[in-house]
Amino acid sequence: MDSMDVSFILNEYGEERENYFNAIAPPIFQTSNFAFKKVEDLRKVFEDEMSGYLYSRGINPTVDILRKKLAALDNAEDCLVFNSGAAAVFASVLASVKAGDHIVSVDRPYTWAQKMFDNILPRFGVTTTYIDGTKIENFERAILPTTSLIYLESPNSWDFALQDLSAVAELAKAEEITTICDNSYCTPLYQKPIDAGIDMSVQSATKYISGHSDTIAGVVTGTKQRMKKIFDSEYLNIGSGIQPFNAWLLIRGLRTLPLRLERISNTTLTVVAFLKQHPLVEKVIFPLDETFPQYELAKRQMKGACGLLSFVIKAERMEQVITFCESLDHILMAVSWGGYESLIIPRCASLTPADFDPANTEHRMLRLYIGLEEANYLCTDLEKAFSKIG
Ligand SMILES: *Cc1c(COP(=O)(O)O)cnc(C)c1O
């Protein structure tokens, strides 16, 4: 599909101001249902609920504006927006499998994707093989005659491992296997999986699209045919479509998405440079750093990367990692990312002190998210925490 200007998509596309008093900001259609004058019109929407306004578990005008913008950003024909990223993952995967099918997934996908593969789908006879997705041969080897879905997350939101999206898409097409890629890390501004031939792109809009740490939401994009199939079944049946107010918050978030990503990209470069020269840092893991093992693929496949990185600190004991995190004044300890505020999560939070092994770099690893603060403000905070363990 021809792509539109990003500025047009974010500022105008999908909005019909003349229909709502030429208001600049679109209204929130906070309504559960819509009235009809003619039985014939009601019949049409009963036949195809995606074709009109009937009930807001299905189609809602505020949500429609958001759907149009998000589809256009991904160069996709259509889009569905859910009440969480987890729901978007769940619906897109569920729509792609039936009893007896097999899924090939990258190692360590997002926690709730993995829990669905491990705990829910096996109850319905669907099994999953996890592979190291950095090598295309691993996909070739894992595919079975019953494989109906390849599930990707590139970059992965913990270790940032990438998959070659075009190569996987080509392989999957030849085998008639559906592909889904979790694109939360990059957003459509930095990577367009659909353009690489992936069937469905999924993101947690809770992260960069919202950008303000105040909304939970998720996105699936793909062809009209795929979106219609999911809408008629999983979307309406699970009933986890986004609510109009949250859709409005995401439209508002989209207005500043390029600006926020640009700002965070610049700050990230400064913070990465600061961490790399620090004597207490053993390693920095960031896809657009030359030391990253898949740096060449990252540069070829992604227009940018920002905000989310990991680093390994030099520590003998778990208490040093704990002291480091608890000594930060401004960088908050919290899950999630993509908002205005910088965040940190130590890997060792999921370990008991007795299991801590200083020889294991993962145990000394911290995931840092860089928000909208000044670079210097963040480096000063990090330096203060380092001084407590040095
Ligand atoms: C947060 C996240 C999700 C889940 O999204 P929610 O909006 O939290 O439900 C899925 N994938 C990735 C990579 C995420 O970071």
Side-chain angles (χ1 to χ4, degrees), residues 83-89 109-113 151 153 155-157 182-185 202-207 215-218 308 336-337 367:
N83 212 22
S84 70
V89 169
Y110 180 71
T111 318
W112 293 95
Y151 187 84
E153 183 181 328
N156 180 288
S157 68
D182 185 329
N183 194 37
S184 304
Y185 186 96
V202 172
Q203 356 163 26
S204 167
T206 309
K207 313 293 163 51
T215 319
I216 302 280
L308 207 57
S336 198
W337 47 277
R367 189 182 76 174

Side-chain angles (χ1 to χ4, degrees), residues 127-139:
T127 56
T128 301
T129 303
Y130 295 101
I131 57 153
D132 168 1
T134 61
K135 295 193 186 68
I136 190 76
E137 311 86 79
N138 294 344
F139 287 96

